[in-house]
Amino acid sequence: MEDQNYQTYTETQTPESKPLYNEQPKKKSNAWWIILLVILLVLCCCILIGGVVVLLLVASGQYRIDWSMLTPLLSFI
């Protein structure tokens, strides 16, 4: 076995190796989704509160809904 010449592998170094892409990937911002959801939540809460107030006023008996006033508004649609 001594007559066999074994050589160890040495890794070759490449001089000044640079990456192909130097720019970092841009991080996508999801802040507009959060803003949109907050705006929708506020609008839904306003509509819900308005409906509850109207319902309470009508249920108290002091106010009533005159549906004939709604007819001209529906004719525009």
Side-chain angles (χ1 to χ4, degrees):
M1 291 205 123
E2 293 178 7
D3 57 349
Q4 296 177 353
N5 293 331
Y6 289 105
Q7 295 179 350
T8 58
Y9 174 75
T10 57
E11 186 176 342
T12 58
Q13 299 292 330
T14 56
E16 298 182 17
S17 61
K18 294 181 181 178
L20 292 176
Y21 302 103
N22 293 333
E23 294 182 17
Q24 295 292 331
K26 295 179 182 177
K27 185 178 180 183
K28 292 184 179 179
S29 175
N30 290 333
W32 64 276
W33 272 106
I34 297 171
I35 294 170
L36 181 67
L37 288 175
V38 168
I39 290 172
L40 286 174
L41 180 66
V42 169
L43 287 175
C44 288
C45 288
C46 289
I47 291 172
L48 185 67
I49 290 172
V52 168
V53 168
V54 169
L55 183 67
L56 289 175
L57 289 174
V58 171
S60 70
Q62 295 178 358
Y63 297 92
R64 66 182 182 93
I65 298 175
D66 188 10
W67 295 106
S68 63
M69 297 296 288
L70 192 62
T71 308
L73 293 175
L74 290 177
S75 67
F76 288 117
I77 298 176

Short mmCIF file of all heavy atoms in Angstrom, two decimals, residues 3 7 9 12-13 17 20 27-28 34 38 40 47-49 57 60 62-63 67 70 73:
data_model
loop_
_atom_site.label_atom_id
_atom_site.label_comp_id
_atom_site.label_asym_id
_atom_site.label_seq_id
_atom_site.Cartn_x
_atom_site.Cartn_y
_atom_site.Cartn_z
N ASP A 3 3.19 1.92 -1.94
CA ASP A 3 3.60 2.30 -3.29
C ASP A 3 2.53 3.14 -4.01
O ASP A 3 2.77 3.66 -5.09
CB ASP A 3 3.93 1.07 -4.11
CG ASP A 3 2.77 0.10 -4.18
OD1 ASP A 3 1.80 0.30 -3.42
OD2 ASP A 3 2.86 -0.83 -5.00
N GLN A 7 -3.32 11.67 -3.10
CA GLN A 7 -3.24 13.11 -2.88
C GLN A 7 -4.57 13.60 -2.31
O GLN A 7 -5.63 13.15 -2.72
CB GLN A 7 -2.93 13.84 -4.18
CG GLN A 7 -1.58 13.51 -4.76
CD GLN A 7 -1.36 14.24 -6.07
OE1 GLN A 7 -2.28 14.83 -6.61
NE2 GLN A 7 -0.14 14.17 -6.58
N TYR A 9 -7.54 16.32 -1.71
CA TYR A 9 -8.20 17.32 -2.55
C TYR A 9 -8.10 18.70 -1.90
O TYR A 9 -8.40 18.88 -0.74
CB TYR A 9 -9.69 16.96 -2.75
CG TYR A 9 -10.47 18.01 -3.48
CD1 TYR A 9 -10.33 18.16 -4.86
CD2 TYR A 9 -11.35 18.84 -2.81
CE1 TYR A 9 -11.05 19.12 -5.54
CE2 TYR A 9 -12.07 19.80 -3.49
CZ TYR A 9 -11.91 19.94 -4.85
OH TYR A 9 -12.61 20.88 -5.53
N THR A 12 -10.07 24.95 -4.85
CA THR A 12 -9.48 26.11 -5.52
C THR A 12 -10.25 27.36 -5.14
O THR A 12 -11.49 27.35 -5.10
CB THR A 12 -9.51 25.93 -7.05
OG1 THR A 12 -10.85 25.73 -7.46
CG2 THR A 12 -8.65 24.75 -7.47
N GLN A 13 -9.56 28.41 -4.86
CA GLN A 13 -10.17 29.68 -4.49
C GLN A 13 -10.35 30.54 -5.74
O GLN A 13 -9.43 30.71 -6.53
CB GLN A 13 -9.29 30.42 -3.48
CG GLN A 13 -9.07 29.68 -2.18
CD GLN A 13 -10.36 29.60 -1.38
OE1 GLN A 13 -11.21 30.48 -1.47
NE2 GLN A 13 -10.52 28.54 -0.62
N SER A 17 -14.81 36.80 -5.97
CA SER A 17 -16.10 36.30 -6.42
C SER A 17 -17.20 37.26 -5.93
O SER A 17 -17.24 37.64 -4.77
CB SER A 17 -16.34 34.89 -5.89
OG SER A 17 -16.35 34.91 -4.48
N LEU A 20 -24.27 37.57 -8.25
CA LEU A 20 -24.85 38.02 -9.51
C LEU A 20 -25.75 39.23 -9.31
O LEU A 20 -25.77 40.14 -10.12
CB LEU A 20 -25.65 36.88 -10.15
CG LEU A 20 -24.83 35.69 -10.65
CD1 LEU A 20 -25.74 34.60 -11.16
CD2 LEU A 20 -23.88 36.14 -11.74
N LYS A 27 -39.07 44.81 0.04
CA LYS A 27 -40.08 44.23 0.91
C LYS A 27 -41.42 44.86 0.59
O LYS A 27 -41.55 46.07 0.53
CB LYS A 27 -39.71 44.50 2.38
CG LYS A 27 -40.64 43.85 3.35
CD LYS A 27 -40.20 44.10 4.78
CE LYS A 27 -41.17 43.42 5.73
NZ LYS A 27 -40.82 43.70 7.12
N LYS A 28 -42.41 44.01 0.37
CA LYS A 28 -43.74 44.51 0.05
C LYS A 28 -44.41 45.03 1.31
O LYS A 28 -44.36 44.41 2.36
CB LYS A 28 -44.60 43.42 -0.58
CG LYS A 28 -44.13 43.00 -1.94
CD LYS A 28 -45.07 41.98 -2.54
CE LYS A 28 -44.62 41.59 -3.92
NZ LYS A 28 -45.51 40.59 -4.52
N ILE A 34 -54.21 47.19 6.06
CA ILE A 34 -54.62 47.48 7.44
C ILE A 34 -55.43 48.76 7.47
O ILE A 34 -56.47 48.83 8.14
CB ILE A 34 -53.37 47.55 8.34
CG1 ILE A 34 -52.68 46.19 8.37
CG2 ILE A 34 -53.74 48.01 9.74
CD1 ILE A 34 -51.33 46.19 9.04
N VAL A 38 -59.39 49.11 8.61
CA VAL A 38 -59.80 50.01 9.69
C VAL A 38 -60.90 50.96 9.21
O VAL A 38 -61.88 51.20 9.91
CB VAL A 38 -58.58 50.79 10.23
CG1 VAL A 38 -59.01 51.93 11.14
CG2 VAL A 38 -57.65 49.85 10.97
N LEU A 40 -63.05 50.40 6.75
CA LEU A 40 -64.28 49.61 6.61
C LEU A 40 -64.93 49.31 7.95
O LEU A 40 -66.16 49.34 8.09
CB LEU A 40 -63.98 48.31 5.86
CG LEU A 40 -63.75 48.45 4.36
CD1 LEU A 40 -63.33 47.11 3.77
CD2 LEU A 40 -64.99 48.96 3.68
N ILE A 47 -72.68 52.84 10.51
CA ILE A 47 -73.97 52.40 9.97
C ILE A 47 -74.75 51.64 11.03
O ILE A 47 -75.96 51.83 11.19
CB ILE A 47 -73.75 51.54 8.70
CG1 ILE A 47 -73.23 52.43 7.57
CG2 ILE A 47 -75.03 50.83 8.29
CD1 ILE A 47 -72.79 51.67 6.34
N LEU A 48 -74.07 50.78 11.77
CA LEU A 48 -74.73 50.00 12.82
C LEU A 48 -75.26 50.90 13.93
O LEU A 48 -76.40 50.73 14.38
CB LEU A 48 -73.76 48.96 13.38
CG LEU A 48 -74.33 47.99 14.41
CD1 LEU A 48 -75.34 47.08 13.74
CD2 LEU A 48 -73.22 47.18 15.04
N ILE A 49 -74.47 51.87 14.35
CA ILE A 49 -74.91 52.78 15.42
C ILE A 49 -76.09 53.62 14.93
O ILE A 49 -77.06 53.84 15.67
CB ILE A 49 -73.73 53.66 15.89
CG1 ILE A 49 -72.73 52.80 16.65
CG2 ILE A 49 -74.21 54.81 16.75
CD1 ILE A 49 -71.43 53.51 16.98
N LEU A 57 -85.46 55.10 18.34
CA LEU A 57 -86.39 56.23 18.23
C LEU A 57 -87.77 55.76 17.76
O LEU A 57 -88.81 56.22 18.26
CB LEU A 57 -85.83 57.28 17.27
CG LEU A 57 -84.63 58.08 17.78
CD1 LEU A 57 -84.10 58.98 16.68
CD2 LEU A 57 -85.00 58.90 19.00
N SER A 60 -89.55 53.77 20.53
CA SER A 60 -90.06 54.56 21.66
C SER A 60 -91.48 55.05 21.41
O SER A 60 -92.19 55.38 22.36
CB SER A 60 -89.13 55.75 21.93
OG SER A 60 -89.23 56.69 20.89
N GLN A 62 -92.35 57.80 19.79
CA GLN A 62 -92.41 59.24 19.54
C GLN A 62 -92.14 59.56 18.07
O GLN A 62 -92.51 60.63 17.60
CB GLN A 62 -91.39 59.97 20.41
CG GLN A 62 -91.70 59.86 21.89
CD GLN A 62 -90.65 60.56 22.73
OE1 GLN A 62 -89.67 61.09 22.20
NE2 GLN A 62 -90.85 60.56 24.04
N TYR A 63 -91.51 58.67 17.35
CA TYR A 63 -91.18 58.88 15.95
C TYR A 63 -91.72 57.72 15.13
O TYR A 63 -91.91 56.62 15.63
CB TYR A 63 -89.66 58.98 15.75
CG TYR A 63 -89.03 60.14 16.47
CD1 TYR A 63 -88.52 59.99 17.76
CD2 TYR A 63 -88.96 61.38 15.87
CE1 TYR A 63 -87.95 61.06 18.42
CE2 TYR A 63 -88.39 62.45 16.52
CZ TYR A 63 -87.89 62.28 17.79
OH TYR A 63 -87.33 63.34 18.45
N TRP A 67 -92.88 56.19 4.96
CA TRP A 67 -92.33 55.52 3.79
C TRP A 67 -92.65 56.25 2.50
O TRP A 67 -91.99 56.04 1.48
CB TRP A 67 -92.84 54.08 3.71
CG TRP A 67 -92.35 53.24 4.86
CD1 TRP A 67 -93.07 52.83 5.92
CD2 TRP A 67 -91.03 52.76 5.05
NE1 TRP A 67 -92.30 52.11 6.78
CE2 TRP A 67 -91.02 52.04 6.27
CE3 TRP A 67 -89.85 52.84 4.34
CZ2 TRP A 67 -89.89 51.43 6.78
CZ3 TRP A 67 -88.72 52.24 4.84
CH2 TRP A 67 -88.74 51.54 6.04
N LEU A 70 -89.78 58.11 1.06
CA LEU A 70 -88.74 57.30 0.49
C LEU A 70 -88.94 57.05 -1.01
O LEU A 70 -87.99 56.81 -1.74
CB LEU A 70 -88.65 55.97 1.23
CG LEU A 70 -87.44 55.07 0.97
CD1 LEU A 70 -86.17 55.80 1.39
CD2 LEU A 70 -87.57 53.79 1.71
N LEU A 73 -86.91 59.21 -3.51
CA LEU A 73 -85.50 58.84 -3.51
C LEU A 73 -85.25 57.55 -4.28
O LEU A 73 -84.25 57.42 -4.98
CB LEU A 73 -85.00 58.66 -2.06
CG LEU A 73 -84.96 59.95 -1.22
CD1 LEU A 73 -84.58 59.62 0.21
CD2 LEU A 73 -83.99 60.94 -1.81
#
